[in-house]
PDB file of all heavy atoms in Angstrom:
ATOM      1  N   GLY A1256      -0.183  39.059  10.051  1.00 80.00           N
ATOM      2  CA  GLY A1256       0.113  37.628   9.981  1.00 80.00           C
ATOM      3  C   GLY A1256       0.791  37.268   8.701  1.00 80.00           C
ATOM      4  O   GLY A1256       1.464  36.247   8.608  1.00 80.00           O
ATOM      5  N   GLY A1257       0.610  38.035   7.685  1.00 82.00           N
ATOM      6  CA  GLY A1257       1.323  37.831   6.428  1.00 82.00           C
ATOM      7  C   GLY A1257       0.694  36.750   5.539  1.00 82.00           C
ATOM      8  O   GLY A1257      -0.354  36.193   5.830  1.00 82.00           O
ATOM      9  N   SER A1258       1.404  36.483   4.474  1.00 84.00           N
ATOM     10  CA  SER A1258       0.899  35.557   3.466  1.00 84.00           C
ATOM     11  C   SER A1258       0.865  34.118   3.948  1.00 84.00           C
ATOM     12  O   SER A1258      -0.010  33.344   3.546  1.00 84.00           O
ATOM     13  CB  SER A1258       1.729  35.664   2.201  1.00 84.00           C
ATOM     14  OG  SER A1258       3.086  35.378   2.490  1.00 84.00           O
ATOM     15  N   TRP A1259       1.788  33.738   4.842  1.00 87.00           N
ATOM     16  CA  TRP A1259       1.790  32.359   5.333  1.00 87.00           C
ATOM     17  C   TRP A1259       0.539  32.074   6.160  1.00 87.00           C
ATOM     18  O   TRP A1259      -0.062  30.999   6.032  1.00 87.00           O
ATOM     19  CB  TRP A1259       3.048  32.107   6.190  1.00 87.00           C
ATOM     20  CG  TRP A1259       4.298  32.114   5.369  1.00 87.00           C
ATOM     21  CD1 TRP A1259       5.138  33.160   5.168  1.00 87.00           C
ATOM     22  CD2 TRP A1259       4.817  31.025   4.613  1.00 87.00           C
ATOM     23  NE1 TRP A1259       6.162  32.782   4.338  1.00 87.00           N
ATOM     24  CE2 TRP A1259       5.986  31.471   3.986  1.00 87.00           C
ATOM     25  CE3 TRP A1259       4.405  29.705   4.414  1.00 87.00           C
ATOM     26  CZ2 TRP A1259       6.755  30.662   3.171  1.00 87.00           C
ATOM     27  CZ3 TRP A1259       5.181  28.904   3.583  1.00 87.00           C
ATOM     28  CH2 TRP A1259       6.332  29.378   2.984  1.00 87.00           C
ATOM     29  N   THR A1260       0.137  33.015   6.986  1.00 88.00           N
ATOM     30  CA  THR A1260      -1.070  32.831   7.810  1.00 88.00           C
ATOM     31  C   THR A1260      -2.320  32.775   6.936  1.00 88.00           C
ATOM     32  O   THR A1260      -3.208  31.938   7.154  1.00 88.00           O
ATOM     33  CB  THR A1260      -1.188  33.959   8.829  1.00 88.00           C
ATOM     34  OG1 THR A1260       0.016  34.039   9.574  1.00 88.00           O
ATOM     35  CG2 THR A1260      -2.363  33.747   9.743  1.00 88.00           C
ATOM     36  N   ILE A1261      -2.395  33.655   5.920  1.00 89.00           N
ATOM     37  CA  ILE A1261      -3.532  33.664   5.033  1.00 89.00           C
ATOM     38  C   ILE A1261      -3.629  32.367   4.253  1.00 89.00           C
ATOM     39  O   ILE A1261      -4.694  31.765   4.135  1.00 89.00           O
ATOM     40  CB  ILE A1261      -3.462  34.887   4.074  1.00 89.00           C
ATOM     41  CG1 ILE A1261      -3.514  36.194   4.871  1.00 89.00           C
ATOM     42  CG2 ILE A1261      -4.542  34.836   3.022  1.00 89.00           C
ATOM     43  CD1 ILE A1261      -4.751  36.377   5.711  1.00 89.00           C
ATOM     44  N   GLY A1262      -2.475  31.875   3.756  1.00 88.00           N
ATOM     45  CA  GLY A1262      -2.470  30.604   3.032  1.00 88.00           C
ATOM     46  C   GLY A1262      -2.911  29.448   3.906  1.00 88.00           C
ATOM     47  O   GLY A1262      -3.681  28.577   3.496  1.00 88.00           O
ATOM     48  N   GLY A1263      -2.432  29.420   5.156  1.00 89.00           N
ATOM     49  CA  GLY A1263      -2.826  28.361   6.070  1.00 89.00           C
ATOM     50  C   GLY A1263      -4.305  28.409   6.407  1.00 89.00           C
ATOM     51  O   GLY A1263      -4.966  27.373   6.467  1.00 89.00           O
ATOM     52  N   ALA A1264      -4.839  29.617   6.598  1.00 90.00           N
ATOM     53  CA  ALA A1264      -6.266  29.750   6.904  1.00 90.00           C
ATOM     54  C   ALA A1264      -7.119  29.317   5.705  1.00 90.00           C
ATOM     55  O   ALA A1264      -8.146  28.653   5.873  1.00 90.00           O
ATOM     56  CB  ALA A1264      -6.596  31.200   7.282  1.00 90.00           C
ATOM     57  N   LEU A1265      -6.680  29.678   4.490  1.00 91.00           N
ATOM     58  CA  LEU A1265      -7.451  29.284   3.299  1.00 91.00           C
ATOM     59  C   LEU A1265      -7.377  27.765   3.097  1.00 91.00           C
ATOM     60  O   LEU A1265      -8.353  27.143   2.651  1.00 91.00           O
ATOM     61  CB  LEU A1265      -6.943  30.016   2.063  1.00 91.00           C
ATOM     62  CG  LEU A1265      -7.276  31.508   2.025  1.00 91.00           C
ATOM     63  CD1 LEU A1265      -6.626  32.155   0.790  1.00 91.00           C
ATOM     64  CD2 LEU A1265      -8.757  31.751   2.004  1.00 91.00           C
ATOM     65  N   GLY A1266      -6.242  27.156   3.446  1.00 92.00           N
ATOM     66  CA  GLY A1266      -6.132  25.691   3.370  1.00 92.00           C
ATOM     67  C   GLY A1266      -7.077  25.015   4.356  1.00 92.00           C
ATOM     68  O   GLY A1266      -7.722  24.019   4.030  1.00 92.00           O
ATOM     69  N   LEU A1267      -7.180  25.573   5.555  1.00 92.00           N
ATOM     70  CA  LEU A1267      -8.101  25.027   6.547  1.00 92.00           C
ATOM     71  C   LEU A1267      -9.555  25.144   6.072  1.00 92.00           C
ATOM     72  O   LEU A1267     -10.357  24.228   6.241  1.00 92.00           O
ATOM     73  CB  LEU A1267      -7.908  25.764   7.875  1.00 92.00           C
ATOM     74  CG  LEU A1267      -8.713  25.291   9.070  1.00 92.00           C
ATOM     75  CD1 LEU A1267      -8.319  23.855   9.431  1.00 92.00           C
ATOM     76  CD2 LEU A1267      -8.493  26.197  10.253  1.00 92.00           C
ATOM     77  N   ILE A1268      -9.894  26.284   5.474  1.00 92.00           N
ATOM     78  CA  ILE A1268     -11.257  26.478   4.937  1.00 92.00           C
ATOM     79  C   ILE A1268     -11.550  25.450   3.857  1.00 92.00           C
ATOM     80  O   ILE A1268     -12.630  24.869   3.799  1.00 92.00           O
ATOM     81  CB  ILE A1268     -11.425  27.915   4.429  1.00 92.00           C
ATOM     82  CG1 ILE A1268     -11.440  28.900   5.579  1.00 92.00           C
ATOM     83  CG2 ILE A1268     -12.695  28.047   3.586  1.00 92.00           C
ATOM     84  CD1 ILE A1268     -11.372  30.346   5.158  1.00 92.00           C
ATOM     85  N   SER A1269     -10.572  25.185   2.982  1.00 92.00           N
ATOM     86  CA  SER A1269     -10.770  24.211   1.915  1.00 92.00           C
ATOM     87  C   SER A1269     -11.030  22.809   2.454  1.00 92.00           C
ATOM     88  O   SER A1269     -11.931  22.095   1.991  1.00 92.00           O
ATOM     89  CB  SER A1269      -9.582  24.172   0.986  1.00 92.00           C
ATOM     90  OG  SER A1269      -9.574  25.292   0.141  1.00 92.00           O
ATOM     91  N   VAL A1270     -10.220  22.408   3.436  1.00 92.00           N
ATOM     92  CA  VAL A1270     -10.373  21.062   4.006  1.00 92.00           C
ATOM     93  C   VAL A1270     -11.717  20.905   4.703  1.00 92.00           C
ATOM     94  O   VAL A1270     -12.432  19.924   4.504  1.00 92.00           O
ATOM     95  CB  VAL A1270      -9.200  20.740   4.965  1.00 92.00           C
ATOM     96  CG1 VAL A1270      -9.459  19.463   5.734  1.00 92.00           C
ATOM     97  CG2 VAL A1270      -7.910  20.621   4.177  1.00 92.00           C
ATOM     98  N   LEU A1271     -12.065  21.890   5.502  1.00 90.00           N
ATOM     99  CA  LEU A1271     -13.356  21.815   6.213  1.00 90.00           C
ATOM    100  C   LEU A1271     -14.527  21.843   5.230  1.00 90.00           C
ATOM    101  O   LEU A1271     -15.535  21.156   5.427  1.00 90.00           O
ATOM    102  CB  LEU A1271     -13.465  22.916   7.238  1.00 90.00           C
ATOM    103  CG  LEU A1271     -12.462  22.825   8.400  1.00 90.00           C
ATOM    104  CD1 LEU A1271     -12.611  24.012   9.339  1.00 90.00           C
ATOM    105  CD2 LEU A1271     -12.614  21.524   9.152  1.00 90.00           C
ATOM    106  N   GLY A1272     -14.403  22.624   4.160  1.00 91.00           N
ATOM    107  CA  GLY A1272     -15.447  22.644   3.145  1.00 91.00           C
ATOM    108  C   GLY A1272     -15.575  21.306   2.431  1.00 91.00           C
ATOM    109  O   GLY A1272     -16.670  20.831   2.140  1.00 91.00           O
ATOM    110  N   GLY A1273     -14.433  20.668   2.162  1.00 89.00           N
ATOM    111  CA  GLY A1273     -14.463  19.349   1.506  1.00 89.00           C
ATOM    112  C   GLY A1273     -15.114  18.278   2.395  1.00 89.00           C
ATOM    113  O   GLY A1273     -15.948  17.505   1.920  1.00 89.00           O
ATOM    114  N   PHE A1274     -14.741  18.272   3.673  1.00 88.00           N
ATOM    115  CA  PHE A1274     -15.358  17.297   4.581  1.00 88.00           C
ATOM    116  C   PHE A1274     -16.840  17.600   4.787  1.00 88.00           C
ATOM    117  O   PHE A1274     -17.662  16.690   4.918  1.00 88.00           O
ATOM    118  CB  PHE A1274     -14.610  17.250   5.912  1.00 88.00           C
ATOM    119  CG  PHE A1274     -13.440  16.312   5.857  1.00 88.00           C
ATOM    120  CD1 PHE A1274     -12.170  16.815   5.575  1.00 88.00           C
ATOM    121  CD2 PHE A1274     -13.595  14.970   6.094  1.00 88.00           C
ATOM    122  CE1 PHE A1274     -11.072  15.957   5.541  1.00 88.00           C
ATOM    123  CE2 PHE A1274     -12.509  14.113   6.055  1.00 88.00           C
ATOM    124  CZ  PHE A1274     -11.238  14.605   5.771  1.00 88.00           C
TER     125      PHE A1274
END
Side-chain angles (χ1 to χ4, degrees):
S1258 59
W1259 291 96
T1260 306
I1261 297 301
L1265 290 176
L1267 184 64
I1268 290 170
S1269 284
V1270 169
L1271 294 178
F1274 275 94

